[in-house]
Amino acid sequence: MIKKQSEVLGILGLGSRSTLFYLEQLNTQFHTLKGDYHTFPSITHTVDFNTINPYLPNQFNTLKPVVKQQITSLFKDNVHSCIVPNITLHETIDQLQFDKPILHPITLSTQHLKAQNISNVIVFGSLYTMSSDYITNQLRSENITVTLPSKSDQITIDNCRKKLYSYSETDIDFEEYKALIEKYSKNNIVLVACTELSLWTIALNNKNIVDMALLQINKAIERTRQ
């Protein structure tokens, strides 16, 4: 009997901290699953993030050719699917076509929420994510009601995101963010839609958080078991 070859995941390497978070979580979960010295089968295609980040969130005419080229290049390697460790960039990806699956955080979120019979969420993300219709409209099209934090709390959340990106966060920042999570998750599900904020999700250990990055990671692990 021929043993089925394990799926190899392609990872588009963007901001260093978010990319490392995905790699660490993939390896940690895979090791927990397999034991011994197993590490997650993946290929990382690192991109100069300065060719993308200055044009986020929505300078699509500039973003689309760069993203198309980089993901196409990644798919030329022996990969079966792809993770992009940047939630906002998927608004650009949605306007492109590829011949292999991309583990889409919003698709995975709607599937998870519906499977858990969750019909109301509060979105934490970048200031752009919390003020634009991109995620909100897709969730609402699946009959999931979206509520947002107050304007002042949105600014605090976005400031935490910026500090996490630049490795300049403090314990005070974490405690402020933790207080906001506790405030909004008391009677609701908080949907974390920002890969920088995902760095704190595991430490918070809050059952009322649904994290888009962790859903991507969980899906990648699941695909290795199929």
Side-chain angles (χ1 to χ4, degrees):
M1 182 176 177
I2 298 174
K3 187 177 180 180
K4 182 182 176 183
Q5 183 181 5
S6 297
E7 283 213 0
V8 176
L9 177 74
I11 302 171
L12 193 67
L14 300 171
S16 62
R17 196 166 191 187
S18 294
T19 303
L20 286 171
F21 170 76
Y22 278 71
L23 286 166
E24 288 171 357
Q25 287 303 312
L26 286 164
N27 283 321
T28 297
Q29 291 192 31
F30 196 70
H31 174 73
T32 299
L33 178 66
K34 296 285 190 178
D36 296 327
Y37 299 99
H38 286 284
T39 54
F40 187 82
S42 66
I43 294 173
T44 301
H45 177 80
T46 303
V47 179
D48 179 0
F49 197 34
N50 200 55
T51 63
I52 292 174
N53 196 46
Y55 310 106
L56 289 171
N58 54 7
Q59 294 186 40
F60 300 121
N61 288 339
T62 302
L63 287 167
K64 285 195 292 185
V66 175
V67 173
K68 178 73 172 179
Q69 177 187 9
Q70 297 296 344
I71 294 180
T72 299
S73 179
L74 173 59
F75 279 149
K76 288 179 181 177
D77 292 320
N78 185 30
V79 301
H80 297 80
S81 58
C82 169
I83 272 184
V84 177
N86 183 294
I87 306 301
T88 305
L89 193 55
H90 287 80
E91 189 171 4
T92 300
I93 292 168
D94 288 350
Q95 301 174 47
L96 303 169
Q97 291 186 335
F98 299 99
D99 59 2
K100 294 181 182 179
I102 292 173
L103 306 187
H104 199 297
I106 302 175
T107 302
L108 294 172
S109 295
T110 56
Q111 291 171 350
H112 174 82
L113 294 169
K114 292 174 75 172
Q116 298 298 316
N117 295 314
I118 297 168
S119 58
N120 297 276
V121 297
I122 295 176
V123 172
F124 276 33
S126 67
L127 203 55
Y128 172 77
T129 292
M130 292 183 287
S131 60
S132 77
D133 293 330
Y134 172 58
I135 291 176
T136 299
N137 284 348
Q138 293 191 63
L139 293 174
R140 287 175 177 164
S141 71
E142 298 290 340
N143 297 314
I144 298 168
T145 301
V146 177
T147 306
L148 298 174
S150 70
K151 290 294 185 183
S152 60
D153 288 343
Q154 288 183 39
I155 291 170
T156 300
I157 292 165
D158 194 57
N159 285 338
C160 288
R161 175 194 68 83
K162 291 175 181 176
K163 289 187 175 183
L164 281 161
Y165 178 80
S166 63
Y167 291 83
S168 61
E169 77 278 7
T170 65
D171 291 341
I172 293 173
D173 297 321
F174 176 75
E175 291 302 323
E176 286 183 347
Y177 182 75
K178 180 181 178 181
L180 290 177
I181 286 286
E182 291 174 349
K183 171 183 174 181
Y184 286 104
S185 68
K186 188 174 182 179
N187 299 304
N188 299 280
I189 295 297
V190 172
L191 180 62
V192 175
C194 170
T195 52
E196 283 80 29
L197 297 176
S198 296
L199 294 166
W200 280 341
T201 294
I202 293 173
L204 291 169
N205 192 29
N206 186 316
K207 63 182 177 59
N208 283 343
I209 296 176
V210 173
D211 189 292
M212 287 191 175
L214 292 178
L215 289 176
Q216 289 176 287
I217 290 163
N218 292 342
K219 185 63 176 179
I221 297 290
E222 178 187 317
R223 288 176 66 92
T224 67
R225 304 173 72 171
Q226 294 174 351

